[in-house]
Amino acid sequence: MHVPRRGSSFIRKRRIAYMAVGITALLLILLLRLAWIQGTAGVQMSAYGGHSLKEMSVRQRQEGIAIDSGRGQFTDRYGRPLTGGVVWTPVLFPDVDGKTAGHGEQLAKLLRTNKKELLAQWKELQSPLLWRDGHGQPLHIKPDEADQLLSLAPSLVELVPYSTRYNNVPNGKQWLGFLYERPDRPGQLPIGAAGLERTLEPLLSGVGETFVSRFVDAQRRPLAHLPLRVSAPSNGHYPLQVQTTIDLPLQQQLEKLTETNHLTEGAVVVLDAGNADVLAMVSRPFYNPGRVDPHQTTGWSNRALKAVTPGSIFKLVTAAAALESGVVQPKEQFHCHGTYGKYGLACWKKEGHGTLNLEEGLAVSCNIVFAHLGERLSPAQIQATASALGLSRTVGWQEQNLAGIAQFSPLDHEEKGAVFGSHTDAANPGVRVQTAIGQRDVLVTPLQAANLIVTLLHDGQVHAPRLVKHIGYADGGTLLDLAAHASPSPEGSRPVHASTARALREAMEKVVAHGTGASLRGKSWHLAGKSGTAQALKDGQPVNHQWFIGYGPVEHPRYAVAVLVQNAPQHSANQATTLFGQVMDLLAQFSSVPRGATRSSS
């Protein structure tokens, strides 16, 4: 009989004891680690906008989808929404048991697709899917379709109130902009790529999404007896509400007006004559903010902020420069025989205008009068006057270091235009002659052109066109009130004299009374303005940019308007003058209708 030795038994017990101590120590370390994660890491994750482990453990038993990004919204000056809307959209949950196959045909019809594609996509689902239409927009389910859809796939299809950003239709509100989902950051919220969406991005991004979810079992089957769960950020200040200066019905009517006039390229800008607020800004061609490729800029860019050759509307600047510098007297006589005799310059009226003074020359847009002025003026005099009137520089409302934004400039990619080119010999009198009639290197935006009218109405004081007037919290509090203000003058410059502004206004009245704008005499209001036709090239072919800028009613000016028709056939009638008259008739109608309550203008 074998008897175990005492020594070997002792060694075995000691090993067991060591193992027990080791296991106990390991468990203690794991428990301490778990306690640290729950107590410290969970707090850190929440502090940085994440979710605590408790929340994450609950989410592992849920399947859901974001229905609202929490992004700030825009309204017009009267509080009418420019962004934001809700459509009832189907969300498809994974069909792990293949229950939908029996109703595939009916479901496909309601979801605007075909049975084969629907069932194949449903079979591959690993997480909830917001169903979209053929254009990539959330599918809108009509009330009479809702009950039928839900009864065909109970628990596997739910309708959720999905927040939409824009109407899925082309429009001329490029100043509003669009959102862009970056391909290098899948799953992240889209960011502002243009317009106000881009310039106000730091304020609009919000504090979190609204998330709708449902509980599932271990096999990811929906728990039908439990309702959908909605979770949203608890911060009552957000999303922010941005009130613009735009009058939405006016904007929409002007967009329709450009359609009926078959305007393919150009812009219409309407400013409040009192403070230069942007009441409407239409750009053609239209764009669809829901379907924009930000890498293709020509199709959707805001033509109201793009600088083009101004033609004869720049003669207002030349006349102002001549009066300010004293190189002309208001009643001085000029003689137009149809040609200037040098630089290849001729008047648009081949037989000439005969004898006329500065005011008459401006009324009939005589090239010969302004060629003489161009030779008399120095480049510095022309440039200084243009700057004093708000040209060759950006004029849109802006502030530095506002709301944490270093340069707060709501108007996106506003161009400053030019008077002389960087490599142009402005000392050459032939160059100055071309510049004086608004050709050569001169570039002006429709916004600057409309604001030029406001400047003349205020005796030379340049205002800064404002597009945003108020930014508020969701609970009604105020984040920012953006007061209207003047546009800072270039260093060393001074405004034109009130007498000069008054002389130009009188000349613009003559334009309509018996000059190039005589077709506007029968309009609803007594109007004043200046026409312009600029020669340009498109794809190597000669075209014209047609302009008309002005104001009305003359007795009590309320609106300053710029109309640009780009790339018109070379010998076509000035469509811009006709459209300007229609815009003013529309404004007269709007002015006779009581408007909604609004926050008072600053």
Side-chain angles (χ1 to χ4, degrees):
M1 178 176 176
H2 176 70
V3 179
R5 289 181 298 176
R6 180 179 177 185
S8 62
S9 175
F10 175 77
I11 293 172
R12 187 164 54 252
K13 289 180 179 179
R14 188 169 62 182
R15 287 177 177 172
I16 292 172
Y18 286 156
M19 291 176 63
V21 171
I23 292 171
T24 301
L26 181 60
L27 287 174
L28 182 59
I29 291 172
L30 290 175
L31 287 171
L32 290 172
R33 173 67 176 170
L34 180 59
W36 180 85
I37 290 174
Q38 289 281 29
T40 305
V43 172
Q44 290 177 347
M45 291 172 71
S46 295
Y48 287 94
H51 305 280
S52 68
L53 291 181
K54 182 178 179 181
E55 293 174 315
M56 294 301 292
S57 66
V58 172
R59 286 189 172 224
Q60 288 177 357
R61 302 193 302 273
Q62 298 181 74
E63 289 188 336
I65 198 163
I67 59 172
D68 189 338
S69 68
R71 190 175 180 84
Q73 303 289 355
F74 292 96
T75 73
D76 80 344
R77 67 192 296 109
Y78 299 111
R80 303 181 185 96
L82 296 170
T83 57
V86 173
V87 295
W88 286 93
T89 300
V91 173
L92 278 54
F93 290 85
D95 181 15
V96 296
D97 298 318
K99 293 180 179 179
T100 56
H103 302 291
E105 200 69 51
Q106 296 166 281
L107 287 168
K109 183 178 179 181
L110 291 168
L111 295 175
R112 321 286 198 271
T113 186
N114 62 73
K115 176 181 177 181
K116 181 178 179 181
E117 180 180 336
L118 173 64
L119 295 182
Q121 194 165 353
W122 215 325
K123 183 179 179 181
E124 298 297 324
L125 275 187
Q126 297 297 315
S127 58
L129 175 68
L130 186 81
W131 193 252
R132 299 177 182 272
D133 60 22
H135 300 298
Q137 300 299 313
L139 181 65
H140 181 197
I141 293 296
K142 301 174 183 176
D144 59 339
E145 300 171 320
D147 289 340
Q148 185 181 1
L149 180 62
L150 295 176
S151 65
L152 289 173
S155 301
L156 296 177
V157 175
E158 292 287 357
L159 293 180
V160 299
Y162 187 81
S163 176
T164 58
R165 190 74 182 168
Y166 318 106
N167 293 326
N168 188 31
V169 293
N171 63 72
K173 304 177 186 65
Q174 285 86 341
W175 45 266
L176 182 58
F178 60 93
L179 302 181
Y180 177 53
E181 296 184 19
R182 293 181 55 173
D184 59 330
R185 296 184 180 179
Q188 292 198 5
L189 293 176
I191 60 174
L196 291 175
E197 295 280 22
R198 189 188 76 85
T199 58
L200 302 186
E201 173 66 29
L203 301 178
L204 295 170
S205 54
V207 293
E209 300 170 291
T210 297
F211 191 83
V212 63
S213 60
R214 72 181 317 152
F215 287 93
V216 296
D217 62 18
Q219 284 74 43
R220 296 180 26 254
R221 294 184 181 90
L223 300 179
H225 61 283
L226 293 177
L228 291 178
R229 180 175 182 267
V230 177
S231 57
S234 58
N235 191 327
H237 285 331
Y238 295 88
L240 294 179
Q241 306 294 310
V242 179
Q243 185 184 31
T244 69
T245 60
I246 295 293
D247 186 326
L248 181 57
L250 175 61
Q251 173 80 25
Q252 292 170 332
Q253 289 299 315
L254 288 177
E255 289 178 10
K256 290 180 181 178
L257 196 58
T258 63
E259 291 247 53
T260 56
N261 278 270
H262 307 290
L263 177 60
T264 56
E265 296 179 75
V268 177
V269 177
V270 179
L271 301 183
D272 185 323
N275 63 1
D277 275 358
V278 181
L279 301 179
M281 182 184 287
V282 179
S283 177
R284 299 294 308 227
F286 285 173
Y287 84 131
N288 186 334
R291 282 183 268 164
V292 178
D293 181 357
H295 300 296
Q296 300 294 325
T297 60
T298 55
W300 55 264
S301 60
N302 189 352
R303 302 291 181 101
L305 304 181
K306 299 295 181 183
V308 300
T309 311
S312 293
I313 66 169
F314 191 77
K315 290 173 180 174
L316 290 169
V317 177
T318 305
L323 291 170
E324 289 290 297
S325 60
V327 302
V328 68
Q329 296 301 315
K331 299 303 179 182
E332 179 181 350
Q333 298 292 302
F334 297 88
H335 302 281
C336 172
H337 304 291
T339 61
Y340 190 53
K342 49 185 174 180
Y343 313 125
L345 183 73
C347 190
W348 63 269
K349 190 174 183 180
K350 294 181 179 179
E351 65 274 22
H353 289 101
T355 301
L356 65 178
N357 60 30
L358 176 61
E359 183 181 88
E360 293 166 339
L362 194 59
V364 298
S365 202
C366 177
N367 286 344
I368 306 306
V369 171
F370 287 88
H372 282 292
L373 299 182
E375 286 208 78
R376 296 179 188 180
L377 289 164
S378 70
Q381 290 169 330
I382 300 174
Q383 178 66 67
T385 305
S387 297
L389 292 172
L391 306 185
S392 70
R393 59 187 175 99
T394 58
V395 293
W397 193 103
Q398 57 184 293
E399 285 280 3
Q400 292 183 339
N401 301 315
L402 190 64
I405 302 176
Q407 189 66 34
F408 194 99
S409 305
L411 288 166
D412 187 30
H413 288 104
E414 178 194 358
E415 295 183 355
K416 66 179 184 178
V419 175
F420 297 103
S422 57
H423 300 292
T424 298
D425 179 12
N428 184 322
V431 169
R432 298 199 307 279
V433 163
Q434 290 291 324
T435 300
I437 62 173
Q439 290 286 161
R440 189 79 188 193
D441 303 314
V442 187
L443 296 172
V444 174
T445 71
L447 177 68
Q448 289 173 328
N451 201 52
L452 168 62
I453 297 298
V454 177
T455 298
L456 296 177
L457 290 172
H458 287 263
D459 290 337
Q461 177 65 55
V462 182
H463 284 65
R466 183 177 59 159
L467 185 57
V468 175
K469 62 188 300 186
H470 177 79
I471 301 177
Y473 293 112
D475 55 12
T478 294
L479 173 62
L480 289 173
D481 269 320
L482 284 64
H485 60 58
S487 176
S489 298
E491 188 174 346
S493 69
R494 60 172 180 76
V496 300
H497 291 90
S499 58
T500 296
R502 186 164 54 251
L504 295 180
R505 294 199 303 270
E506 292 172 356
M508 285 191 286
E509 290 184 45
K510 297 292 193 301
V511 168
V512 175
H514 51 72
T516 55
S519 61
L520 300 172
R521 284 199 297 252
K523 293 300 173 181
S524 302
W525 281 337
H526 179 196
L527 304 175
K530 181 71 186 79
S531 63
T533 302
Q535 297 174 353
L537 292 175
K538 181 181 181 182
D539 300 328
Q541 299 299 314
V543 293
N544 286 339
H545 298 327
Q546 300 174 349
W547 292 81
F548 199 95
I549 62 175
Y551 62 95
V554 167
E555 296 75 14
H556 301 285
R558 299 185 60 176
Y559 304 101
V561 175
V563 175
L564 166 64
V565 177
Q566 282 184 268
N567 301 319
Q570 192 174 16
H571 299 293
S572 59
N574 193 317
Q575 184 187 359
T577 303
T578 301
L579 184 52
F580 175 87
Q582 294 174 355
V583 169
M584 280 300 185
D585 280 346
L586 180 64
L587 289 168
Q589 294 175 20
F590 265 72
S591 298
S592 65
V593 177
R595 313 303 291 149
T598 179
R599 186 180 300 272
S600 61
S601 296
S602 301

